[in-house]
Amino acid sequence: MKTILKLEELAMFLASIVFLFWVRAEWWMYLLVLLGPDISMLGYLAGNRAGAFLYNLFHHKGIGLMLFIIGYIVGWLDSWPWFFYAGIIIFGHASLDRFFGYGLKYENGFKFTHLGEIGKK
């Protein structure tokens, strides 16, 4: 079952990359999918609670989908699709993180995630 879930996450990541290609996104947006939301780890400088909150905010697929939908409805009408792209980036990055075993964080430390403890086999 774990393999199927990992393949599903990989498929969602690849779908976000294909979608960026389909909408002719700039090249640097592909880099943002790989690394952009990880800027939220700086929240851990303010402690575990703030770090977990900020990390989860930038790695939540539901937020990514919400931004995508808002961007689709509003962004294309105003020729300002940044919410649209942010949604794709967050969704794709979160999927890639989950593929590698990095889940949403608990408040007791960075290595404690909803997928289990990072580094523990």
Side-chain angles (χ1 to χ4, degrees):
M1 184 61 140
K2 187 174 183 180
T3 302
I4 289 174
L5 293 174
K6 286 184 128 196
L7 289 174
E8 181 181 39
E9 295 296 344
L10 181 62
M12 287 186 273
F13 166 71
L14 292 174
S16 69
I17 295 297
V18 168
F19 202 73
L20 283 175
F21 181 78
W22 185 55
V23 297
R24 296 187 173 112
E26 298 289 331
W27 67 269
W28 50 268
M29 288 191 189
Y30 297 93
L31 294 178
L32 285 179
V33 171
L34 296 177
L35 300 171
D38 285 338
I39 191 81
S40 63
M41 286 190 282
L42 290 174
Y44 279 95
L45 294 173
N48 285 340
R49 185 174 184 172
F53 175 78
L54 199 58
Y55 184 93
N56 291 342
L57 187 66
F58 279 73
H59 289 80
H60 195 287
K61 289 183 187 179
I63 291 173
L65 287 173
M66 180 185 67
L67 289 172
F68 174 82
I69 291 167
I70 290 170
Y72 183 79
I73 293 169
V74 177
W76 291 123
L77 299 175
D78 295 336
S79 298
W80 196 76
W82 295 108
F83 283 110
F84 178 80
Y85 288 125
I88 296 171
I89 289 165
I90 289 173
F91 186 86
H93 181 84
S95 295
L96 184 64
D97 271 7
R98 304 247 193 344
F99 173 75
F100 286 119
Y102 296 99
L104 297 174
K105 306 301 182 203
Y106 292 122
E107 293 180 356
N108 51 337
F110 183 81
K111 68 180 187 172
F112 301 100
T113 78
H114 82 284
L115 297 176
E117 190 174 330
I118 295 173
K120 189 157 187 147
K121 297 284 178 182

